[in-house]
């Protein structure tokens, strides 16, 4: 029985193990440290997420530093603490974030620097567009747009961030080639619209706005729109506004160009899905490119409509993909529930079976014990019956001859004392016979013994069994009796009674 329980326990453990181990694979935890929070980063994060959908073993952990160096450093350190397998980082500024990146890299964590650069060599791969080229192309465009003649303002991105530095260098080098274009001011922004608005407003207030400005180059679309707002408030003829980012969607640069709020923009590629694939390739030890340059394109009044249509189509497909993924998630959750349910049901069925077998075995054991007890009782009864019978024969042989003796004349003439002694013997013999009879009756009365005491008497107690036979030659007329008994004394005694 104990063995049986051990067996059941082992099977249950096995079922449990099956349930827990059936879906186990290595998970890659990828930390994503974003320097800012804006629609460009949102787009990239959701592309990263979509990219992760294609790998069920990838978990993304996002951190946003809201343009703060300290916050980004602290976030990178805590991402490393949580045990990430790879770090993707867009460093807020070129030099400030490097110590944290170095720490992660030195711990053996692969690092992908994307979009913004650092001054550390400790990174595994870099992915991003060529910001110098972008600035240069924008300078070329501006010169062409203004027919080589005009006054422009440049509103920079965050000081110390690599795209701001590179875009500026590219832009200024291109402009330098066109002496008719005059950069009347280079204002400091920080990639945000409010800062651009404030700086441009201040500059305009200082009465410098009196002279006509032909074009404002904001280093991103939000900067360009901030400048536009300041110019609109200041009144007077509006210059052209150019930006960079060229995002799709409601407030994106493509629509702004389409709606003529911006004159031009430059698509600054996000490519989150490609970034994620690079991360997975590194994690899986596959070959990868150390430097990946993302291609880009200018958005102007001519192509804005087409680009908008295309980008909206892509957005629609992304949305559909998102929906599909949600559905797939739901199905997976359902599948998981069903699997758990099946295991629970199997375990319940197994337990029930085990219980039934247990009960069956218990009753089997009980029946066996009962059988053994009944067998013992029957043997005991047989023993008592036999002993009673064994007692009864000699008792009959004492009591019968004694009764016979007491009826003879010899005994009537015996002394009083002798008669009294014989009477005592006779009475006690009768008494003993009574006890033996009672014992026999009691044993016969048990359910096992099915014969009545009368039957027992007939067979075992009434020893004299007379069988008529042919007459002997001694006396032709006298009846002949054949006595059959296994006890010689009984036979002798019966013969003595029947002789007369
Ligand atoms: C987004 C953003 C873009 C800009 C880029 C520069 O966070 O500010 O608007 O082009 O970063 O790194």
């Amino acid at each position: 029985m104990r063995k049986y329980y051990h067996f059941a326990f082992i099977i249950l453990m096995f079922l449990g193990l099956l349930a827990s181990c059936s879906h186990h694979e290595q998970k890659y935890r990828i930390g994503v440290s974003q320097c800012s929070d804006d629609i460009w980063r949102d787009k990239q994060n959701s592309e990263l997420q979509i990219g992760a959908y294609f790998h069920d073993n990838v978990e993304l952990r996002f951190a946003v530093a809201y343009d703060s160096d300290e916050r980004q450093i602290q976030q990178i350190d805590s991402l490393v603490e949580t045990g990430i397998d790879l770090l993707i980082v867009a460093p807020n500024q070129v030099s400030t974030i490097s110590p944290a990146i170095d720490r992660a890299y030195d711990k053996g964590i692969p690092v992908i620097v994307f979009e913004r650069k650092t001054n550390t060599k400790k990174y595994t791969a870099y992915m991003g567009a060529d910001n110098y080229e972008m600035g240069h192309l924008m300078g070329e465009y501006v010169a062409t747009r203004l027919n080589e003649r005009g006054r422009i303002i440049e509103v920079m991105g965050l000081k110390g961030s690599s795209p701001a530095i590179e875009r500026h260098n590219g832009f200024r080098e291109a402009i330098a080639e066109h002496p008719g274009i005059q950069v009347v001011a280079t204002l400091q922004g920080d990639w945000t619209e409010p800062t651009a608005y404030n700086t441009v407003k201040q500059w305009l207030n200082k009465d410098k706005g009196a002279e006509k400005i032909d074009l404002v180059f904001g280093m991103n679309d939000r900067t360009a729109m901030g400048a536009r707002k300041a110019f609109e408030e200041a009144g007077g003829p509006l210059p052209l506004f150019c930006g960079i980012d060229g995002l799709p969607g409601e407030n994106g640069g493509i629509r702004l160009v389409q709606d003529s709020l911006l004159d031009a923009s430059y698509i600054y590629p996000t490519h989150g899905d490609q970034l994620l694939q690079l991360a997975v390739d590194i994690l899986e030890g596959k070959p990868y490119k150390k430097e990946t340059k993302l291609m880009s394109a200018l958005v102007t009044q001519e192509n804005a409509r087409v680009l908008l249509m295309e980008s909206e189509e892509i957005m629609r497909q992304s949305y559909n993909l998102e929906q599909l993924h949600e559905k797939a998630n739901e199905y997976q959750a359902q599948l998981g529930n069903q699997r758990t349910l099946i295991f629970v049901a199997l375990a319940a069925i197994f337990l029930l079976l085990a219980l039934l077998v247990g009960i069956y075995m218990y009753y089997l054991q009980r029946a066996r014990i009962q059988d053994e007890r009944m067998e013992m009782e029957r043997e005991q009864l047989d023993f008592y019956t036999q002993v009673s019978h064994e007692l009864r024969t000699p008792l009959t042989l004492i009591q019968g001859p004694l009764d016979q003796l007491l009826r003879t004349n010899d005994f009537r003439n015996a002394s009083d004392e002798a008669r009294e002694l014989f009477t005592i013997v006779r009475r006690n013999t009768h008494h003993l016979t009574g006890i033996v009879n009672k014992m026999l009756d009691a044993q016969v009365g048990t359910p096992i013994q099915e014969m009545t005491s009368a039957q027992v008497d007939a067979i075992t107690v009434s020893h004299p069994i007379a069988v008529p036979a042919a007459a002997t030659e001694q006396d032709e007329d006298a009846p002949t009796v054949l006595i059959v008994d296994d006890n010689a004394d009984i036979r002798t005694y019966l013969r003595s009674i029947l002789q007369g």
Side-chain angles (χ1 to χ4, degrees), residues 35-36 38 40-41 115-116 161 163 167 191 219-220 222 244-245 268:
C35 50
S36 328
D38 47 65
W40 192 90
R41 306 277 157 198
E115 186 266 315
R116 292 189 191 180
S161 69
R167 285 174 198 180
W191 303 119
M219 277 201 180
N220 64 0
R222 282 173 290 143
I244 287 183
D245 276 350
Y268 192 44

Side-chain angles (χ1 to χ4, degrees), residues 12 26 95 265 296 360 402 429 493:
L12 268 181
Q26 208 216 322
S95 54
S265 182
S296 190
Y360 172 72
L402 189 66
T429 313
Y493 169 59

Side-chain angles (χ1 to χ4, degrees), residues 32-36 41 44-45 63-66 72 75 90 114:
V32 181
S33 167
Q34 292 281 19
C35 50
S36 328
R41 306 277 157 198
Q44 187 173 54
N45 288 348
V64 186
Y66 300 101
Q72 188 164 30
Q75 285 177 342
F114 78 100

